[in-house]
Amino acid sequence: AQKVTQAQTEISVVEKEDVTLDCVYETRDTTYYLFWYKQPPSGELVFLIRRNSFDEQNEISGRYSWNFQKSTSSFNFTITASQVVDSAVYFCALSVFNSGSARQLTFGSGTQLTVLP
Amino acid sequence: EPEVTQTPSHQVTQMGQEVILRCVPISNHLYFYWYRQILGQKVEFLVSFYNNEISEKSEIFDDQFSVERPDGSNFTLKIRSTKLEDSAMYFCASSERLLLTYEQYFGPGTRLTVT
């Protein structure tokens, strides 16, 4: 069985601060995918990034960066110079690759990020 | 940009009534999913659907739930006799079959309120 843990329930920062959202996952499968989704107050789920288990390169996209470390089963997400519009719930998710499987996503419980002006 | 759409955006129903939530997946996608999010909680997988049959389902997806693809575009989730605890946001998602394209694209959700 798969499990995703986001230990930080809520984080509050002041605008322009950097913030890191933690994600720890558990799976026995060697081939898997990790995701981050953003859920703004309007409620929709916005895809941010996908990473497969064979690609441990860190990725940067504008103010967002992701640190994938298989040794610690972590896939952390950092927002640099946070802005008020970053305020949302952020979900980490895991999907394992099983042949013939439709590859359901297992979500963490989410981290509510509040960026104060 | 193609997107997943869901109707209605909000549905209020009385306990015991049947509801049908509708989704239009992205047109060239072959895998379809329903997820549920009870207010303030995490998103939970309900069911996946491929080639006109259920591929996987969770423990939540009991006999009260059913899914259908009645035509070439719609994908529906039916709850036969709603309970108070069915109140949640229901998300539809779809994905392509290609191995390298793995994102599940989510719709905006339907908020179901059971009174």
Side-chain angles (χ1 to χ4, degrees):
Chain A
Q2 285 67 242
K3 186 178 179 182
V4 177
T5 301
Q6 294 180 256
Q8 304 151 309
T9 307
E10 295 181 29
I11 299 177
S12 185
V13 299
V14 177
E15 205 169 20
K16 296 183 185 174
E17 285 184 354
D18 298 348
V19 59
T20 295
L21 310 182
D22 298 332
C23 173
V24 174
Y25 62 91
E26 295 175 32
T27 179
R28 292 181 179 176
D29 291 81
T30 56
T31 304
Y32 52 87
Y33 288 79
L34 295 162
F35 304 78
W36 277 94
Y37 284 86
K38 174 182 180 179
Q39 187 176 44
S42 49
E44 72 272 24
L45 286 166
V46 179
F47 166 79
L48 295 177
I49 190 172
R50 174 193 75 227
R51 223 47 185 158
N52 73 57
S53 51
F54 298 109
D55 184 359
E56 284 194 74
Q57 271 194 326
N58 291 332
E59 181 155 339
I60 297 174
S61 176
R63 295 185 297 107
Y64 296 169
S65 62
W66 290 270
N67 182 1
F68 176 30
Q69 292 194 339
K70 283 180 79 169
S71 59
T72 55
S73 297
S74 65
F75 186 44
N76 296 338
F77 173 31
T78 297
I79 302 175
T80 303
S82 60
Q83 300 175 0
V84 173
V85 293
D86 295 328
S87 297
V89 180
Y90 291 85
F91 290 97
C92 181
L94 167 71
S95 180
V96 298
F97 179 73
N98 290 318
S99 177
S101 163
R103 304 181 288 260
Q104 58 174 283
L105 288 169
T106 299
F107 283 83
S109 54
T111 297
Q112 170 72 61
L113 174 65
T114 302
V115 181
L116 302 169
Chain B
E1 186 175 326
E3 58 182 19
V4 178
T5 59
Q6 290 185 243
T7 54
S9 57
H10 190 190
Q11 173 94 45
V12 181
T13 189
Q14 289 190 328
M15 198 167 53
Q17 295 295 305
E18 174 183 287
V19 293
I20 297 176
L21 310 182
R22 290 183 168 79
C23 168
V24 178
I26 295 173
S27 61
N28 64 332
H29 285 187
L30 300 177
Y31 286 90
F32 313 114
Y33 310 81
W34 283 101
Y35 290 83
R36 179 182 82 174
Q37 184 183 30
I38 294 171
L39 185 64
Q41 299 186 23
K42 66 178 172 182
V43 180
E44 300 173 291
F45 168 77
L46 290 178
V47 65
S48 58
F49 192 85
Y50 169 69
N51 199 26
N52 283 319
E53 60 182 26
I54 290 174
S55 182
E56 289 174 301
K57 60 182 181 179
S58 72
E59 294 174 352
I60 303 168
F61 194 87
D62 61 22
D63 292 344
Q64 291 298 312
F65 292 89
S66 63
V67 289
E68 194 177 31
R69 189 155 162 83
D71 52 44
S73 59
N74 289 284
F75 179 50
T76 62
L77 173 69
K78 182 194 291 186
I79 309 175
R80 289 190 183 83
S81 178
T82 50
K83 303 188 270 287
L84 293 176
E85 53 264 37
D86 293 328
S87 295
M89 181 78 94
Y90 288 81
F91 291 102
C92 173
S94 69
S95 66
E96 289 182 80
R97 192 182 176 188
L98 297 174
L99 290 178
L100 295 180
T101 304
Y102 223 80
E103 292 96 306
Q104 291 183 20
Y105 292 86
F106 282 82
T110 292
R111 181 168 298 284
L112 176 65
T113 302
V114 182
T115 60

